Amino acid sequence: MSELFSPLAIRSMTLPNRLVLPAMVTRLSGEDGLVNEDIRARYTRFSKGGVGLVVLEAMAVHSAKSGPLLRISSDEFAPGLSDLAKRCHAAGPGMVVPQIIHFLKISRSGWRQTVDMLSLADIDAIVDAYGEAAARARRCGFDGVELHMAHAYTLSSFLSALNPRKDDYGGSLENRLRLPLRVVERVRREIGLDFPLGVRFLGDECIRNGYTTVDAALIAVRLARAGVDYISLSAGGKFEDARVIPGEPLYPYTGYSGDRCMPGNQYPDGANLYIPRAVRAALREAGLETPVIAVGKIGTKALAEDVLASGTGDLVGMARALLADPDLPNKWKDNREDRVVRCIYGNVCKSLDENFRRVDCTLWPKKLGQAPESHDEIPPKWAENGSRIHAEYRHGAVLVRWEKATDNEAVYGYQVFRSKKAGVLVHHASVRGVSARYEDSRVLGGESYTYAVRPYDLAGNRGPMSESITVDVPG
Ligand SMILES: Cc1cc2nc3c(=O)[nH]c(=O)nc-3n(C[C@H](O)[C@H](O)[C@H](O)COP(=O)(O)O)c2cc1C
Ligand code: SF4
């Protein structure tokens, strides 16, 4: 059995496998912050797919105004959250922890509150809010709690190298750590010694003069020594380089650091793995065994296995890959990777989030609202006269087209395979079922490329490979 399916004990919880759904805002809750039917459907679907740890999307510890966002800021939210915990536990083997967040004020005028505007009383109130929310998480029946110290939010802004405070909460690294450590200490006091406490923070701020893995390694050691049970590492997602749109509040994922947070298809697979590699090595060197969650465009079983085998991480986080196919863990476990519906990293989900619209995957059939579920075993097929695949070089790209396949349920998409110089065909991209074309702009003059496509259905059954076609790109 793959190491990915070995259990891992984290304080009082034992994860059944090494696969983690990192927090992913869904915009499915209303501005009331309450758990609703859509939220229940989304998370039970993830649990059912077999993931070892479900981290529920960021939920607010305080009552500040925001767009649609879950809340855990008062007992009013507890019944919905308890029910969600129960349903996720019933749906699958994985553990469930909420990610809890504090954020500062922001307005459409372009103004935003920064950490240097907070009084000492405001800082004390943040500590209290985290403590109360974490205690509530425990009462709600979750298996642990994760503190959000990443991206553009309050605790991350204290950790940031750009923290502008001039007092004991800014300047030196120890000062930048002061509030995050106070929060850890208070939360631990509230939740007790047996309840797992995770922290998510940035391994690299990915902004000019921001901190990198050099500081992140020290932050991790300090947090682990303070009793944090797991460390989840993210990248970027900052206000400092966000796109300015007059009349709109700044959104922290619109600049380069936002790209680095959710690396799109222009980035190599495993784009952020240098982060957990460096941070985990620093923890081990300090004699700390704290598990590390590695994240960032990990979409294949081979890469996930390599994360563990190479000591890059102890757990493999996959946000978009699991959004595209929540059944991925069960499919990998059953050695059915060939049935996984692969994320194409086009980041439609990211832009939905940016625009405060419900976060669905572009691959899902329209209006379904959740990933499709099918146990059908009949694969799609090509028409009698085959796929009629055609490819030509035009305006700097190869355009590949084919006739649509058919399926007893529905063709969900096509995998595009490519080889160079008639070598082995490897998966190159996937396109949605409504399309029967793919434009490949990653071609070099003087090379020849061979293409073939394979249809897949809602259950992920792959149909037969099409005929192949070779194109010579002019030198
Ligand atoms: C739509 C969307 C919402 C996200 N919301 C959160 C969030 O609430 N908290 C968080 O820490 N990260 C959030 N992230 C970042 C992911 O957890 C993850 O770090 C990132 O997508 C990179 O991992 P991936 O390549 O496996 O998708 C979000 C990502 C996406 C795409
Ligand atoms: S919308 Fe695109 S990037 Fe997001 S999960 Fe779906 S395929 Fe992946």
Side-chain angles (χ1 to χ4, degrees), residues 24 263-264 319-325 342-350 352 359-364:
M24 195 169 16
R320 291 165 297 170
L322 284 165
L323 186 67
D325 190 347
R342 293 172 65 148
C343 169
I344 55 179
Y345 296 105
N347 270 340
V348 171
C349 51
K350 175 178 185 269
L352 289 168
V359 175
D360 289 351
C361 172
T362 183
L363 300 177
W364 301 347

Side-chain angles (χ1 to χ4, degrees), residues 22-25 58 99 148 151 200 234 261-262 295-297 317-320 345 349 353 359:
M24 195 169 16
V25 159
Q99 183 184 61
H148 199 338
H151 309 155
R200 187 163 221 222
S234 188
C261 184
M262 299 141 192
V295 178
K297 215 172 167 220
M318 288 178 294
R320 291 165 297 170
Y345 296 105
C349 51
D353 178 28
V359 175

Side-chain angles (χ1 to χ4, degrees), residues 266-300:
Q266 74 276 33
Y267 283 86
D269 289 344
N272 291 341
L273 292 181
Y274 67 96
I275 293 173
R277 199 173 295 128
V279 171
R280 188 173 180 273
L283 285 166
R284 298 301 176 264
E285 207 181 298
L288 295 156
E289 289 304 315
T290 316
V292 168
I293 305 181
V295 178
K297 215 172 167 220
I298 304 170
T300 63

Side-chain angles (χ1 to χ4, degrees), residues 116 232 427:
D116 50 332
S232 174
H427 178 255

Side-chain angles (χ1 to χ4, degrees), residues 439-461:
E439 194 170 298
D440 184 5
S441 55
R442 293 201 171 107
V443 291
L444 278 179
E447 297 276 5
S448 80
Y449 297 90
T450 300
Y451 297 88
V453 290
R454 236 184 137 177
Y456 58 89
D457 66 12
L458 297 180
N461 295 304

Side-chain angles (χ1 to χ4, degrees), residues 242-255:
R243 195 174 56 224
V244 177
I245 306 174
E248 292 291 326
L250 275 182
Y251 199 68
Y253 303 96
T254 48

